[in-house]
Amino acid sequence: MIRYGEIFLKSEPVKRRFISMMTENISLALEAEGLAHRIETPRGRILIFGDEPRQIAAIAAKTFGVVSVSVCTVTTPDIDGIAAAAVRLAERCLRPGMSFAVRARRSGVSGFNSQELGAAVGSAVLDRIPEARVDLTAPDYEVFAEAREFGGLVYDERIGGPGGLPYGTQGEVMTLLSGGIDSPVASWLMMRRGCRMVHVNMKSGRFGGADTEKNVLQNHARLSAWVPGHPLDLLVVDMEPFFEAITALKEPRYRCILCKRFMLRVASILAGERGAAALVNGDNLGQVASQTLANMTVIAPAASVPVLRPLIGFDKEEIVERARAIGTFEAHPGDVGCTVAPRYPSTAAPAATIAQIERELDVESLAARAAETVRRYRAKNGGMEGGR
Ligand code: ATP
Ligand code: MG
């Protein structure tokens, strides 16, 4: 049994559309694992039937939009059938001396109410395990029993899901993906929020560390594991000519600002070509010189579509924790340095100075040319297509 959260708040037609996208995504994920299944969507619930309920539950619990999953025993929707299933579950976990509670619900079934169902199931459990005791406030063990028109459902476990909205319900956005820790988390958060994703990476070539590309591809492939069955594209842009141009400048202090503006400029062109509605990055207030409020204000206008920064208010520790949970954290990233970054970057670049430098560099044509260097890599189900 799959539970979803805020989708409940949507209007009927929107709810129907979201649920059908979510079940479609769950199906794709199960198919990717070769798990045969059948999905039914009675009111307020998604039920998946299959021969491998534990594996099915684990996969469904990684699908965006899912709040929690329970492996259920399905019975007839009457007290006897439900009580017998509850006793079988309780026998596995409820030991003499432990306290327990039955949480009963009923809808679309007549002949008893939920209190009566709870009491009957509770006494059946006590008949079998008389040394247990009932505690409805802080029980050691809980068993859940639902009587619904289509049948009885009994379970004693909930596996937490990622929450969010079903993947694909919110249009496409483009994340500027690096080989680092932050941007994969930013991408994941927007995917969880229902955005179809495309990644773009600016390849620094000989100006970057030897392991950068490997880390970028790894982040990209790992993120694709969260949307099984959906191809995830990574666009790679050649930044070398731009780096050559800015390393030739006398003043090194503004390089990071120029670089970040250039990335937004090129990504905006690519987003426009694909119809992506917004850019996403891993900016985090105050993390580095280019992420002060003053510099973000100078950098942002280089984009011609909105820039979303889902990590802006996170602490670094929280981002790292998330990256671990998502599976993109890399304890040993290797050589990922940037040789263009100056020793003393400006924390408040004057917009007029930046504009002047960009005119001299003719960044517009540099950006247009960079956008033409795009190479596309595709990942699916956690791996790169073509085996990269
Ligand atoms: P991250 O922040 O992703 O861990 P980082 O620390 O190397 O990587 P920052 O200097 O913090 O990068 O850059 C801020 C944001 O700019 C990143 O979160 C990412 O969205 C984007 N970005 C940085 N480098 C690149 C790159 N080479 N290609 C695409 N986007 C990049
Ligand atoms: Mg960062």
Side-chain angles (χ1 to χ4, degrees):
M1 178 168 70
I2 310 294
R3 293 179 204 83
Y4 42 85
E6 58 190 283
I7 300 173
F8 263 122
L9 308 173
K10 307 278 176 215
S11 67
E12 267 314 314
V14 174
K15 201 190 301 183
R16 261 200 300 280
R17 188 165 62 83
F18 279 31
I19 288 171
S20 101
M21 290 190 85
M22 192 156 86
T23 53
E24 174 69 28
N25 289 337
I26 294 172
S27 262
L28 284 170
L30 295 175
E31 276 158 26
E33 295 290 326
L35 288 165
H37 62 281
R38 176 170 56 83
I39 301 186
E40 286 179 19
T41 52
R43 262 183 76 82
R45 288 282 183 265
I46 296 176
L47 298 176
I48 310 178
F49 297 87
D51 293 335
E52 306 282 352
R54 302 243 141 237
Q55 272 170 278
I56 289 175
I59 304 269
K62 286 187 73 181
T63 306
F64 296 127
V66 172
V67 169
S68 65
V69 180
S70 293
V71 175
C72 302
T73 305
V74 185
T75 72
T76 48
D78 52 69
I79 288 184
D80 288 348
I82 291 172
V87 168
R88 273 197 303 280
L89 280 190
E91 279 175 330
R92 296 190 315 196
C93 303
L94 185 59
R95 302 270 158 263
M98 280 170 68
S99 61
F100 78 101
V102 177
R103 311 293 186 200
R105 295 171 78 168
R106 185 209 60 146
S107 82
V109 182
S110 55
F112 54 90
N113 62 30
S114 48
Q115 279 88 350
E116 286 161 349
L117 175 62
V121 172
S123 58
V125 170
L126 279 175
D127 279 346
R128 174 55 61 95
I129 310 162
E131 306 87 343
R133 67 197 152 79
V134 174
D135 178 350
L136 298 181
T137 326
D140 299 321
Y141 173 74
E142 281 178 303
V143 59
F144 299 83
E146 296 189 18
R148 298 185 170 261
E149 62 261 65
F150 55 83
L153 298 174
V154 183
Y155 55 92
D156 62 0
E157 228 182 3
R158 272 172 204 244
I159 309 166
L165 298 174
Y167 184 70
T169 55
Q170 302 299 310
E172 184 169 283
V173 299
M174 180 180 279
T175 296
L176 288 98
L177 187 75
S178 76
I181 298 167
D182 305 330
S183 49
V185 177
S187 171
W188 186 88
L189 286 171
M190 296 315 297
M191 289 202 279
R192 183 177 74 157
R193 215 47 216 161
C195 292
R196 199 146 25 82
M197 188 55 68
V198 54
H199 290 147
V200 62
N201 174 257
M202 312 291 168
K203 187 172 167 180
S204 41
R206 63 185 165 85
F207 295 93
D211 298 311
T212 305
E213 193 185 356
K214 175 191 85 187
N215 286 290
V216 173
L217 291 175
Q218 187 167 293
N219 282 338
H220 176 67
R222 287 176 175 178
L223 284 164
S224 75
W226 283 92
V227 285
H230 291 276
L232 184 62
D233 283 349
L234 165 68
L235 309 178
V236 176
V237 173
D238 179 11
M239 279 278 272
E240 268 191 354
F242 174 77
F243 282 152
E244 269 155 26
I246 61 169
T247 47
L249 294 169
K250 280 200 303 292
E251 176 63 87
R253 274 196 303 165
Y254 301 130
R255 284 177 187 172
C256 293
I257 287 114
L258 293 163
C259 173
K260 292 282 142 64
R261 278 179 56 89
F262 189 75
M263 288 186 186
L264 291 183
R265 208 183 282 269
V266 177
S268 297
I269 297 172
L270 300 175
E273 286 171 4
R274 283 186 66 116
L279 301 179
V280 177
N281 69 21
D283 279 355
N284 173 231
L285 189 60
Q287 187 185 85
V288 289
S290 58
Q291 291 163 33
T292 61
L293 262 187
N295 277 345
M296 281 196 292
T297 307
V298 176
I299 292 166
S304 53
V305 290
V307 180
L308 310 176
R309 299 175 176 80
L311 301 180
I312 198 70
F314 280 47
D315 281 352
K316 190 71 190 186
E317 256 322 297
E318 292 172 305
I319 301 174
V320 169
E321 208 175 291
R322 286 264 166 175
R324 282 188 208 280
I326 294 166
T328 51
F329 182 78
E330 189 54 63
H332 305 288
D335 173 15
V336 292
C338 170
T339 60
V340 182
R343 202 181 159 113
Y344 302 108
S346 164
T347 54
T353 311
I354 297 296
Q356 175 63 30
I357 299 172
E358 288 187 344
R359 264 193 305 277
E360 284 163 19
L361 292 174
D362 191 10
V363 287
E364 287 218 18
S365 14
L366 279 172
R369 259 176 281 149
E372 283 166 11
T373 66
V374 158
R375 294 192 52 186
R376 195 194 71 184
Y377 299 82
R378 181 163 276 188
K380 201 172 170 184
N381 301 338
M384 296 304 294
E385 265 185 12
R388 275 189 60 118

